[in-house]
Amino acid sequence: MAITFGDNQYGKAEVRLVHVTRDGDRHQVKDLNVSSTLRGDFADAHLLGDNSKVVATDTQKNTVYAFAQQYGVAEIETFALRLGRHFTDSFEWVTGAKISVQEYGWDRIMADGAEHGHAFTRAGGGTRTTDVTIDGEQAWVISGLTDLVVLKSTGSEFWGFPRDRYTSLQETRDRVLATAVTARWRYAGTDVDWGKSYADVRRILIESFATKHSLALQQTLYFMGEQVLEAHPEVAEIRMSMPNKHHFLVDLSPFGLPNDNEVYYAADRPYGLIEGTVTRDDAPDPGRAWQAIPGF
């Protein structure tokens, strides 16, 4: 029997970085969680305990902090591309890298009717993400968001589904529709205005959810993705995961009370989980873009 060593990678996970840009009394805050993963010729480390080609994970962590000081953060896609290319360019045996970044937003606190220059409150509305993969001369960028919680109190139906002996769900022509959107979209290239693109894709996702009269969460998911691709030719495909955050009408009849779609029980589990991909028919090959990206 032969035993062989297979695919492998390693890196530094979840390096917490807060970068403050100080422009007089008005400061900008970037709050990031950065993970780096390297691929390459690391067999001797596993088989022989030879660390001569192991770029220490502590070195990877320090590089994150050093690059933030030297270059700033700007857009997380730009920061991730710079980090990934540094590792593959600096060490000839490192053939590939993946840099994953989550950005936690902060909103300025209003004081005396104006935005405070250096005081913030944690922003809601989802966490911005990017996953940048470097493989030789190629680079792929997948950006996105997680935990974008949205709800509409009407404009949603669910009926016409098959029934069997185990079906108890009643059809409805008017229901609360709520979900927490995880969306990841692959860019066709790297010549992109990252901040502008992200802001508008996020806007489209939210507005599409709100305006589409929904006969199923599946229909809403596809419509949201379709609207993004129609508006943004730089986006090759978008993948979404949307749990159905069920809201059930509470039966108040035992108390002699009506419930005309007013009082609901918000159930956190179990839940329906709707996932799907919307892709251009001329989208470039994804290569390694989706490899080892957590989630859908």
Side-chain angles (χ1 to χ4, degrees), residues 154-208:
T154 191
S156 175
E157 309 178 32
F158 189 60
W159 51 271
F161 50 87
R163 308 191 72 87
D164 67 9
R165 60 184 296 192
Y166 303 114
T167 302
S168 61
L169 184 67
Q170 298 301 306
E171 295 186 343
T172 179
R173 306 284 176 146
D174 188 6
R175 66 171 180 170
V176 170
L177 183 64
T179 187
V181 180
T182 294
R184 302 184 191 277
W185 51 92
R186 175 170 62 93
Y187 286 104
T190 58
D191 185 16
V192 177
D193 185 333
W194 306 114
K196 182 179 179 181
S197 180
Y198 171 81
D200 198 55
V201 170
R202 182 181 181 277
R203 176 192 64 80
I204 291 170
L205 291 172
I206 293 172
E207 290 185 2
S208 300

Side-chain angles (χ1 to χ4, degrees), residues 72-95:
V73 173
E75 302 298 341
I76 58 175
E77 291 86 355
T78 302
F79 189 63
L81 282 164
R82 178 176 284 124
L83 279 170
R85 286 170 173 153
H86 164 77
F87 291 122
T88 58
D89 291 347
S90 299
F91 306 96
E92 63 182 19
W93 58 87
V94 176
T95 58

Side-chain angles (χ1 to χ4, degrees), residues 6 41 54 84 97 103 107 112 156 160-161 197 283 285 288:
D41 180 11
V54 176
E103 178 177 353
D107 292 330
D112 298 324
S156 175
F161 50 87
S197 180
D285 187 281
R288 287 182 173 269

Side-chain angles (χ1 to χ4, degrees), residues 13-111:
E14 302 198 42
V15 177
R16 292 291 283 110
L17 163 67
V18 176
H19 181 269
V20 180
T21 301
R22 303 175 184 274
D23 183 12
D25 290 333
R26 188 172 179 85
H27 297 173
Q28 302 286 343
V29 172
K30 285 282 189 174
D31 186 352
L32 309 183
N33 190 37
V34 183
S35 297
S36 57
T37 303
L38 306 184
R39 298 185 307 275
D41 180 11
F42 306 126
D44 284 352
H46 292 268
L47 302 178
L48 305 175
D50 179 352
N51 295 322
S52 59
K53 292 184 177 179
V54 176
V55 182
T57 64
D58 189 68
T59 301
Q60 296 177 46
K61 175 202 70 178
N62 293 339
T63 304
V64 171
Y65 293 134
F67 273 36
Q69 191 281 327
Q70 293 177 75
Y71 306 109
V73 173
E75 302 298 341
I76 58 175
E77 291 86 355
T78 302
F79 189 63
L81 282 164
R82 178 176 284 124
L83 279 170
R85 286 170 173 153
H86 164 77
F87 291 122
T88 58
D89 291 347
S90 299
F91 306 96
E92 63 182 19
W93 58 87
V94 176
T95 58
K98 180 179 289 293
I99 310 296
S100 299
V101 185
Q102 295 83 45
E103 178 177 353
Y104 310 111
W106 291 90
D107 292 330
R108 294 187 184 279
I109 292 175
M110 298 296 293

Side-chain angles (χ1 to χ4, degrees), residues 142-145 181-186 205 221 225 229 235-242 274-279 286 289-291 293 295-296:
I142 294 175
S143 293
L145 52 81
V181 180
T182 294
R184 302 184 191 277
W185 51 92
R186 175 170 62 93
L205 291 172
L221 180 151
L229 294 188
V235 175
E237 66 176 301
I238 181 169
R239 300 183 179 188
M240 284 178 284
S241 178
M242 297 169 61
I274 314 304
E275 297 179 311
T277 303
V278 186
T279 311
W290 293 105
Q291 186 175 5
I293 292 180
F296 181 69

Side-chain angles (χ1 to χ4, degrees), residues 222-240:
Y222 177 77
F223 180 75
M224 292 165 67
E226 180 185 47
Q227 295 304 297
V228 168
L229 294 188
E230 287 185 353
H232 287 274
E234 75 275 17
V235 175
E237 66 176 301
I238 181 169
R239 300 183 179 188
M240 284 178 284

